[in-house]
Amino acid sequence: MDMFNTQKSQNQKKPSKNYKKRLTYEQVKLLERSFTSNNKLQPERKHQLSLQLGIPPRQVAIWYQNKRARSRTQSLELDYSALQLSLENALAEKQQLKREVERLNGELAKAQEMLFALNVQTTTTTTTTASSCARPVICPSLSCSDQEGMSSARSTIVHDLDVELEELYACLIGSDGLISWD
């Protein structure tokens, strides 16, 4: 029992600390309004608020300091959220552009295959047409002049096809050598 009394007397001997009181809703509301008008606290404003609220000036100063820190944290969180959203949008756009590039590369490959096939066909036709003049007449019912007319018509068709191929290729490749899909 002696020990219990000793602890009690020791607790009584300690000087009581002046603990801060929690602010009421109205006090916080007034401080918030004051903070929105100016987030830096001037000494005269601090004294005026402490008298108006009935709290020590140091408590007002600490409240302002804490409020500024909370505001910075909230601002950083908002900035982070905005950056995160921008990043997500950029990544989605990147994926969409990747798919578009793959699709366009597929179309380009098909167009190049068509051009290659047409070039091979044109080369074969041109070679056949050029060599047909040197050959003897295969069809005995046609005269030599008729066969020359057919050969001339074939070379005109081949020339027209070459021009169309060149235009198609120019449209696909563009004047600077890069593919342009206008």
Side-chain angles (χ1 to χ4, degrees):
M1 210 147 140
D2 226 6
M3 189 164 177
F4 180 69
N5 289 336
T6 309
Q7 286 179 347
K8 196 175 189 183
S9 64
Q10 285 177 351
N11 286 339
Q12 290 174 354
K13 291 180 185 175
K14 288 185 182 176
S16 63
K17 291 186 179 179
N18 189 5
Y19 289 104
K20 294 183 283 185
K21 296 177 186 174
R22 289 187 66 83
L23 299 174
T24 65
Y25 177 76
E26 290 79 24
Q27 289 172 324
V28 172
K29 207 171 187 182
L30 180 66
L31 285 169
E32 290 281 349
R33 275 190 302 232
S34 176
F35 185 83
T36 56
S37 66
N38 189 6
N39 67 351
K40 296 288 183 179
L41 189 60
Q42 301 298 326
E44 30 319 312
R45 180 71 181 145
K46 175 173 57 171
H47 185 67
Q48 179 188 10
L49 283 171
S50 73
L51 289 175
Q52 197 173 7
L53 297 169
I55 58 176
R58 181 72 185 140
Q59 190 173 359
V60 173
I62 291 171
W63 186 91
Y64 260 77
Q65 186 178 8
N66 291 340
K67 180 66 175 176
R68 279 192 300 273
R70 283 190 302 271
S71 294
R72 278 191 301 270
T73 302
Q74 287 174 347
S75 175
L76 286 174
E77 287 174 357
L78 289 174
D79 290 346
Y80 175 79
S81 297
L83 285 173
Q84 188 68 28
L85 183 62
S86 295
L87 175 64
E88 289 170 4
N89 288 339
L91 289 174
E93 186 177 348
K94 178 184 174 187
Q95 288 299 334
Q96 181 181 4
L97 289 172
K98 248 184 184 176
R99 287 190 298 270
E100 182 71 12
V101 165
E102 289 172 1
R103 184 186 66 79
L104 291 173
N105 280 335
E107 287 183 22
L108 176 62
K110 287 178 185 175
Q112 287 175 338
E113 287 174 11
M114 287 173 51
L115 282 174
F116 181 72
L118 288 174
N119 279 337
V120 167
Q121 185 181 14
T122 304
T123 306
T124 306
T125 307
T126 305
T127 306
T128 305
T129 305
S131 63
S132 68
C133 290
R135 288 189 198 153
V137 176
I138 296 173
C139 182
S141 64
L142 293 175
S143 67
C144 187
S145 63
D146 289 339
Q147 286 188 8
E148 286 174 6
M150 286 177 62
S151 175
S152 172
R154 267 192 235 126
S155 67
T156 303
I157 291 170
V158 168
H159 175 71
D160 291 344
L161 186 60
D162 281 341
V163 170
E164 288 178 25
L165 286 175
E166 287 175 11
E167 288 176 1
L168 176 63
Y169 191 72
C171 288
L172 288 174
I173 299 301
S175 61
D176 56 359
L178 298 175
I179 298 170
S180 62
W181 301 94
D182 294 332

